[in-house]
Amino acid sequence: MGTGAITSYIDVAQLVLYAFWIFFFGLIYWLQRESKREGYPMHSDRPGRAYVDGLLDMPPTKTYLMADGSTREAPHDRDMLPQALAAEPVAAFPGAPLDPIGNPMHAGVGPGAWTRRLDFPERLSDGSTVIVPLRRAPGMTVSPKDIDPRGLPVLGADGEVGGIVREIWLDRAEFIVRYLELDIANGAKGPQVLLPMGFAKIGRDAVTVRALMGHQFADVPRLRHPDEVTSLDEDRITAYYGAGTLYAEPGRAESLL
C-alpha cells in the first residue's frame, strides 16, 4: 500500500474528500433554511394551498437581542396577518395579474405594493434615530455649492403645485438626503408630507415630481411623529409614489401601442 493508505481500497485523501462533501451538503442545507427567515412561507393563490414552505421546511424561530435591549424574532408572523387587497385577478388562473379596485393609489399592488416592516425608526449604535430632519442634526447643513430646496414649490407631472419644501431629512448612517419634508396646502390629513429623494428632481426654481399629479400630494401617508419616520411608514410612503408611476392618471396604465 502507498503513503496515506488505510486499506487497499481506502486512503486519507479519499476520507478527506468524503468529509468535505458531507460538510458542503450540510452547509448548503443550513444556508437554505436560514434564508427563509424573511419572506417565508410564501403566499399562494392556489386552492387549498394558502402558504408554501418550499423544498426545505421552515427553520425554528430564533430570538435576536438588539442593541437597545429589545428582541426580534425570525421567522416572524407579520406577513401571516390577514390582509384584504383592494384588487382582483384579471383571469382565473393562479398567478394572474391583479387589477386595482377603487383608488389604485391606495390598493397596495403593483408598483404601489408595500410590506409590513417594523413599526419603529431605524437606530444607530448609540440609540439615536438614523433618519432625522435637518433641524435635529446639529452641525449639518446644505453645501453652498448645492441648491437648497427649502422654500421651493413642488410641482407634479401636470405642472400644478403640490406643496412647498419645508425641511430636509438626512440619513445619518449613509450621509445622504433621504426625504424632503413638504407643507401641503389645505391638507385635510395634516400638512406634513415626506417626498423620497428618488422621486424628486431639484431645480433652481422648483422641485419636480413626475410620479404624482399636483393634487395627489394631499393623500400621501402622513407621519405620526413630526421628527421620526418608522420603517413601516417609509415603505407605505414610498409605495404611494411608486403607485403614481403607473396609476397617477389612467393613460399610464395603458399599453404604448
Side-chain angles (χ1 to χ4, degrees):
M1 296 186 294
T3 303
I6 298 175
T7 70
S8 57
Y9 299 100
I10 302 175
D11 59 16
V12 173
Q14 189 176 9
L15 293 179
V16 170
L17 178 63
Y18 291 161
F20 172 75
W21 284 349
I22 294 171
F23 165 76
F24 193 67
F25 176 81
L27 177 63
I28 292 175
Y29 177 83
W30 181 81
L31 289 175
Q32 287 295 321
R33 290 190 75 201
E34 288 298 303
S35 70
K36 294 185 176 184
R37 294 195 178 277
E38 287 286 345
Y40 281 84
M42 298 183 292
H43 292 256
S44 173
D45 55 1
R46 295 181 182 178
R49 295 191 69 187
Y51 302 102
V52 179
D53 291 345
L55 179 62
L56 303 179
D57 58 341
M58 294 289 293
T61 300
K62 184 184 294 186
T63 301
Y64 296 86
L65 179 62
M66 311 304 289
D68 60 359
S70 62
T71 58
R72 304 285 181 271
E73 289 187 347
H76 56 74
D77 59 359
R78 294 192 305 276
D79 289 335
M80 305 292 286
L81 298 175
Q83 181 181 3
L85 292 177
E88 59 184 6
V90 299
F93 60 86
L98 297 175
D99 209 8
I101 300 173
N103 185 350
M105 299 292 290
H106 296 291
V109 295
W114 54 274
T115 188
R116 287 189 177 96
R117 298 179 65 194
L118 296 173
D119 196 15
F120 55 82
E122 293 189 49
R123 299 190 180 276
L124 297 170
S125 58
D126 61 0
S128 61
T129 53
V130 173
I131 300 175
V132 296
L134 199 59
R135 57 181 173 267
R136 285 190 53 193
M140 294 188 180
T141 185
V142 179
S143 171
K145 298 180 180 180
D146 295 326
I147 299 173
D148 189 338
R150 288 174 291 186
L152 294 180
V154 179
L155 307 180
D158 55 356
E160 297 295 324
V161 176
I164 304 295
V165 179
R166 179 171 71 177
E167 186 58 286
I168 299 169
W169 285 54
L170 307 173
D171 185 325
R172 295 191 293 178
E174 300 186 24
F175 296 100
I176 60 174
V177 175
R178 188 68 72 183
Y179 299 99
L180 298 179
E181 179 184 321
L182 312 182
D183 268 335
I184 305 299
N186 300 321
K189 300 179 181 179
Q192 191 182 32
V193 166
L194 290 188
L195 165 62
M197 278 300 297
F199 291 95
K201 182 178 181 180
I202 299 177
R204 294 193 176 276
D205 301 320
V207 176
T208 305
V209 179
R210 302 293 300 173
L212 302 183
M213 302 300 167
H215 67 278
Q216 292 171 333
F217 285 93
D219 287 333
V220 176
R222 300 304 202 267
L223 299 179
R224 287 164 290 173
H225 189 286
D227 291 334
E228 290 184 350
V229 57
T230 70
S231 298
L232 176 61
D233 288 336
E234 286 192 74
D235 227 44
R236 295 182 62 196
I237 290 170
T238 305
Y240 182 84
Y241 288 89
T245 61
L246 186 63
Y247 302 126
E249 56 94 12
R252 293 186 176 184
E254 298 296 330
S255 60
L256 295 178
L257 298 178

